Amino acid sequence: YTIIDNNCAGLEKTRQKIRPGDHVHLLNRDLLTWQPDIPEADLVISTGLIEHFDLRGTAGMIRAHFDLAKPEGHVLMTFPTPTVMYRTARIIAEQLGMWIFHDERPLTMHEVGKTAQLHGTELERGIIWPIVLTQGIVLFKKDIHS
């Protein structure tokens, strides 16, 4: 299990939770500029990442996830999506001064799917409703030649 993040503080918090024998590897890397030097993965999971960029950065980050996957591997991404419930909860949190995700940009299924379809085939999509700040979720199978 490999966790890649460019946030040293977050990686250190994770490192403190790892027990001997967990087989967890932490890498401090920027996925937008890094040329992967690790084996490609059967499954790449992304939560809470692709929404922190502008349109171009989000597209680049989605591509980077596919770059980490083996041909015919899977890429699973979750991201905030602008449902009425999300927008309402965010407005309330912002008005109360409790909103801490200042660079978060809720993403539509269309935006994520349009970029991801350049690299793979969509297998599933949906919305995680039990989370008040609703999350879109997509699962793609990487194309063999991507």
Side-chain angles (χ1 to χ4, degrees):
Y1 187 68
T2 302
I3 299 172
I4 304 168
D5 198 331
N6 71 345
N7 182 307
C8 292
L11 287 171
E12 183 54 35
K13 285 182 180 182
T14 302
R15 184 181 324 283
Q16 294 170 7
K17 295 178 182 180
I18 298 172
R19 298 172 308 212
D22 280 350
H23 304 289
V24 176
H25 305 281
L26 304 178
L27 294 176
N28 180 250
R29 304 285 189 274
D30 180 344
L31 286 176
L32 289 176
T33 60
W34 178 48
Q35 297 297 313
D37 55 357
I38 60 174
E40 294 171 314
D42 293 315
L43 175 63
V44 174
I45 301 173
S46 176
T47 60
L49 179 61
I50 63 174
E51 67 272 11
H52 294 284
F53 301 89
D54 60 14
L55 288 169
R56 187 173 178 200
T58 294
M61 191 56 68
I62 291 170
R63 185 197 71 248
H65 286 73
F66 281 90
D67 289 346
L68 291 167
K70 290 180 180 179
E72 297 191 320
H74 293 84
V75 175
L76 177 76
M77 295 177 281
T78 71
F79 48 90
T81 194
T83 61
V84 170
M85 190 161 60
Y86 171 93
R87 291 192 308 264
T88 302
R90 181 170 175 166
I91 288 169
I92 292 168
E94 287 175 337
Q95 289 177 346
L96 293 173
M98 299 172 61
W99 187 253
I100 61 172
F101 307 108
H102 304 290
D103 64 344
E104 180 174 287
R105 186 173 64 85
L107 307 175
T108 64
M109 291 286 186
H110 176 76
E111 178 184 348
V112 174
K114 182 179 173 183
T115 299
Q117 288 173 0
L118 298 173
H119 309 286
T121 302
E122 184 178 312
L123 301 177
E124 295 285 338
R125 76 165 51 192
I127 295 177
I128 304 171
W129 288 102
I131 301 171
V132 174
L133 294 166
T134 52
Q135 297 283 301
I137 184 168
V138 294
L139 175 65
F140 278 79
K141 184 175 185 178
K142 181 179 175 177
D143 290 339
I144 196 162
H145 299 293
S146 182

